[in-house]
Amino acid sequence: MRLLHTSDWHLGRSFHRVGLLEAQAAFLDHLVATVHAHDVDAVLVAGDVYDRAVPPLPAVELFDTALHRLAEAGVPTVMISGNHDSARRLGVGAGLIERAGIHLRTDPDGIGTPVVLSDAHGEVALYGLPYLEPALVRERLGAEKAGHEAVLAAAMDRVRADLAGRPAGTRSVVLAHAFVAGGAPSDSERDITVGGVAAVPTGIFDGVDYVALGHLHGSQTLTPRVRYSGSPLAYSFSEADHRKTMWLIDLGEDGTITSDVRLDCPVPRPLARIRGRLDDLLDDPALTPHEQSWVEVTLTDPVRPAEPMARLTARFPHTLNLVFDPERTADDPGASYAQRLRDRSDQQIAEDFVAHVRGGAALDGAERAVLYGAFDDVRVDSAEREVGR
């Protein structure tokens, strides 16, 4: 069975105020063309279909058009909700849409009920695990603890229990939206940390033949059977070096992966990150290839130059982000606040602040736990409000 694995479409998202709807439409054109060109048997979409819980109307219309085209192609599509989606909104009409071969899996109660497809070698059970916010689904899934690993373990117990009751030789595929250990994040993913721990081990998915992951925006192979497709477009400059692709996976008659191919996605405009003093950047012939790229510029001039953006866009007209990082040492009193906070998490910043206001005394374990809980409460409250919208 030939599977096309994609995720993290983020329909409706912009890139530094540049609308991406046209580029997203071009990707969906490419997706449908790929389905036809490669005789795909099923399309897997591993969450974050939309960029936010209440997407703009043009994004909804684009999604609607994509569903119609996939249904017309006669190729089953299995799709789960991600942490950016409103599961309830995405899942509206799921029962009716399923008659057209579009299988939306957004309800945790349906985790143990697969989409069952058949080929010449028998049945393939495809299980959809939507994004599972631990505080909201722990009791429903009977998880022992409130954490990503615990709720995913409980979800996979349901998957394995259903699979055990199916005919011998039934192959299995899981779609999941999670941060799995070994994956490399980028700046454009929303933090899903719980209690300071975000990643879950790959072993949590043991017992299935292929795991189609979503959430991280870089295409990655964690094990031959556990992979991220990554996002089809770059959504931050941290993805400038990403190769945006989809996975074309052939699942053999015994569940082995007999072929795995990365298919490139259309690139609306390349990304570039350049760094240096303004005059040097304007004169450097080596930067000529980036003159039509979307550009992030980091200026290192000791003194901020006059009208830097106007001068930069004269050579690099698609400059979207300008960062100042003067050539100073980290302990220089003139170093910016942003420089001092670079690469530090919200938890670390909060711990440093508490230590500072009480004269330098570091936090003990119990105090760190209180801060962890506070950050988790804010994130969960935000998730609950999105669910209720």
Side-chain angles (χ1 to χ4, degrees):
M1 182 167 287
R2 177 162 290 177
L3 309 171
L4 184 63
H5 169 196
T6 177
S7 74
D8 295 273
W9 295 354
H10 289 279
L11 300 181
R13 188 164 185 156
S14 298
F15 185 77
H16 291 272
R17 300 174 302 282
V18 174
L20 292 177
L21 206 64
E22 186 175 320
Q24 291 172 333
F27 160 69
L28 292 173
D29 288 344
H30 172 69
L31 173 71
V32 174
T34 299
V35 167
H36 289 291
H38 292 273
D39 296 323
V40 170
D41 296 308
V43 176
L44 314 179
V45 186
D48 281 353
V49 174
Y50 291 120
D51 189 55
R52 55 182 186 266
V54 184
L57 182 57
V60 177
E61 292 173 339
L62 183 58
F63 177 62
D64 181 63
T65 300
L67 292 189
H68 277 83
R69 295 176 68 187
L70 288 168
E72 289 169 1
V75 176
T77 298
V78 184
M79 183 177 296
I80 62 173
S81 50
N83 61 300
H84 279 250
D85 298 309
S86 165
R88 290 174 63 185
R89 288 176 182 272
L90 186 63
V92 169
L96 184 61
I97 295 172
E98 190 155 12
R99 298 179 187 178
I102 307 294
H103 307 274
L104 298 174
R105 292 295 186 260
T106 64
D107 186 347
D109 290 337
I111 283 171
T113 304
V115 176
V116 180
L117 304 178
S118 299
D119 64 8
H121 305 296
E123 294 185 341
V124 179
L126 297 96
Y127 299 87
L129 279 58
Y131 171 67
L132 302 172
E133 175 58 51
L136 303 183
V137 303
R138 175 188 175 184
E139 292 184 2
R140 292 172 67 179
L141 295 179
E144 295 181 359
K145 300 177 181 178
H148 287 293
E149 183 172 353
V151 297
L152 271 173
M156 285 302 301
D157 284 344
R158 293 192 180 189
V159 168
R160 283 185 282 264
D162 179 83
L163 192 57
R166 295 191 173 274
T170 299
R171 290 158 291 166
S172 55
V173 174
V174 164
L175 290 78
H177 196 87
F179 185 2
V180 180
S186 59
D187 293 344
S188 54
E189 298 118 7
R190 183 182 296 170
D191 182 27
I192 59 171
T193 300
V194 174
V197 178
V200 300
T202 56
I204 212 162
F205 298 107
D206 285 352
V208 297
D209 296 315
Y210 184 70
V211 181
L213 293 175
H215 180 57
L216 300 185
H217 289 182
S219 178
Q220 301 168 65
T221 300
L222 305 186
T223 76
R225 296 181 182 273
V226 182
R227 304 173 188 235
Y228 283 100
S229 68
S231 60
L233 298 171
Y235 292 118
S236 72
F237 277 103
S238 66
E239 300 168 53
D241 294 330
H242 285 190
R243 176 187 166 199
K244 295 301 184 181
T245 58
M246 300 179 287
W247 282 110
L248 189 67
I249 300 293
D250 284 351
L251 200 62
E253 60 181 304
D254 60 352
T256 59
I257 296 172
T258 59
S259 176
D260 56 342
V261 179
R262 287 179 69 187
L263 301 177
D264 291 292
C265 297
V267 179
R269 192 179 294 277
L271 306 187
R273 301 177 104 172
I274 60 177
R275 178 186 179 91
R277 297 193 178 198
L278 179 58
D279 289 339
D280 294 337
L281 297 179
L282 295 177
D283 295 336
D284 188 351
L287 299 180
T288 299
H290 301 317
E291 290 179 351
Q292 295 305 314
S293 300
W294 278 325
V295 179
E296 179 183 72
V297 180
T298 300
L299 294 181
T300 60
D301 302 70
V303 177
R304 184 173 300 204
E307 299 183 331
M309 184 60 87
R311 295 168 65 189
L312 283 165
T313 54
R315 182 181 183 189
F316 306 103
H318 303 288
T319 300
L320 298 182
N321 196 36
L322 182 58
V323 180
F324 293 96
D325 186 14
E327 295 167 346
R328 296 188 176 114
T329 60
D331 57 355
D332 189 318
S336 71
Y337 181 69
Q339 285 176 287
R340 296 196 300 273
L341 298 186
R342 182 179 297 144
D343 298 326
R344 299 184 67 75
S345 68
D346 291 343
Q347 176 76 21
Q348 292 170 320
I349 293 168
E351 289 183 16
D352 288 348
F353 174 76
V354 173
H356 171 74
V357 297
R358 67 182 189 187
L363 280 70
D364 60 27
E367 291 169 326
R368 288 192 177 92
V370 170
L371 274 179
Y372 278 137
F375 281 115
D376 285 349
D377 287 345
V378 171
R379 184 183 46 76
V380 170
D381 178 67
S382 176
E384 287 177 330
R385 282 187 280 109
E386 284 196 0
V387 167
R389 292 173 76 178

